[in-house]
Amino acid sequence: LRLPSGRRAQAVLGKMNERSPWANSGATVEFNYKIDPNSNDDTVLLRYAGQADLFFPPSSVELTPRFFRLPGLPPPPAEDMLSLSNFEQGMEVKVMALEDCLLAFEAANRADFFQHTMSVVCGKTGIANHFHPTSGVRVLFGRVELWMEPGCLERLVECETGMVMPRLLVGTKVKCPTENPRYRGEIGSISFHFLRVNGERDYARVTVRYPDSHEEYPFPDQVVLVP
């Protein structure tokens, strides 16, 4: 069984500690940057929501069409599920039902909808207060901020201007400028964005990750898509 990089997969039930926060979660197959070419190590690297790298023998990994446990195959995403053009700063929004949220995150190739904590905002209203090409729409719920997808938000007011911001979804193959000669001209992929500068998140940039786990942080307009 081939397990190509970028495909969605999950660890076979019983092969992960049930107490792990990633148990029963979908992941993405990544290049195993820790393989020793002089060994017989053939473990597979699964990356969970951009936050955890776990290693499994190939027999313990199976491909899956979904990150989340929903019936049937995921439908092709409608354009408005991903577009930020119908949203603007300060807009009041309402989070749709759980299944709508999961479908929207699937469409954006995001595995970071954590149902045990984020499902509590389903049906609640909040204020859209920031936007990012990869992370979508940041919504303020009282004192809590969560990055949501356009496809799981109902607009409660008319949009007057809208965001002009092309999406750069997780897994998109790109090239970007870099001062590091080792990665100049190399192909990387858009990854989850957690960059901090002086203790604060820097949402002016995006994250490009390379097969050996090195990351660069270009501005969105510096990124060139690779067919």
Side-chain angles (χ1 to χ4, degrees):
L1 174 66
R2 289 293 306 277
L3 296 167
S5 174
R7 292 289 299 274
R8 299 177 186 185
Q10 60 186 15
V12 175
L13 194 63
K15 297 299 182 179
M16 183 188 293
N17 188 328
E18 293 183 359
R19 296 184 179 181
S20 167
W22 310 110
N24 300 316
S25 297
T28 303
V29 179
E30 297 280 344
F31 288 105
N32 190 343
Y33 56 86
K34 291 187 177 180
I35 283 183
D36 180 352
N38 298 315
S39 76
N40 294 320
D41 185 4
D42 61 351
T43 55
V44 177
L45 168 58
L46 297 187
R47 187 167 174 80
Y48 288 83
Q51 299 177 43
D53 291 349
L54 300 180
F55 298 85
F56 299 92
S59 60
S60 299
V61 175
E62 58 186 16
L63 297 177
T64 176
R66 290 187 180 278
F67 289 127
F68 308 106
R69 296 185 180 277
L70 289 168
L73 294 174
E79 184 177 350
D80 60 355
M81 285 187 75
L82 300 173
S83 175
L84 301 173
S85 62
N86 293 321
F87 295 84
E88 59 190 359
Q89 193 86 10
M91 172 181 280
E92 187 177 14
V93 296
K94 181 179 180 180
V95 182
M96 297 181 183
L98 176 60
E99 184 170 334
D100 296 311
C101 292
L102 298 181
L103 288 172
F105 273 65
E106 291 273 11
N109 204 29
R110 290 176 57 185
D112 58 332
F113 189 95
F114 303 109
Q115 297 185 49
H116 60 288
T117 56
M118 296 175 69
S119 61
V120 297
V121 301
C122 293
K124 294 188 176 181
T125 60
I127 302 296
N129 68 2
H130 207 65
F131 302 89
H132 187 263
T134 306
S135 303
V137 184
R138 191 176 69 186
V139 181
L140 176 64
F141 303 95
R143 297 182 179 180
V144 176
E145 293 176 320
L146 295 174
W147 283 98
M148 310 296 290
E149 278 298 313
C152 58
L153 298 175
E154 176 186 351
R155 302 181 302 277
L156 299 182
V157 295
E158 291 295 325
C159 182
E160 297 181 1
T161 56
M163 292 298 302
V164 181
M165 182 181 289
R167 298 299 302 273
L168 290 169
L169 303 180
V170 172
T172 302
K173 290 182 172 59
V174 297
K175 292 183 179 181
C176 70
T178 173
E179 296 180 0
N180 189 327
R182 178 175 179 180
Y183 300 97
R184 198 167 295 151
E186 295 296 317
I187 296 176
S189 59
I190 297 295
S191 185
F192 291 92
H193 187 71
F194 304 114
L195 177 65
R196 286 185 180 273
V197 176
N198 297 325
E200 299 291 333
R201 298 283 192 193
D202 183 355
Y203 292 114
R205 299 173 181 266
V206 296
T207 297
V208 176
R209 185 178 175 89
Y210 293 89
D212 62 356
S213 80
H214 174 76
E215 293 182 344
E216 293 284 337
Y217 307 102
F219 292 103
D221 60 2
Q222 294 179 308
V223 168
V224 177
L225 300 182
V226 176

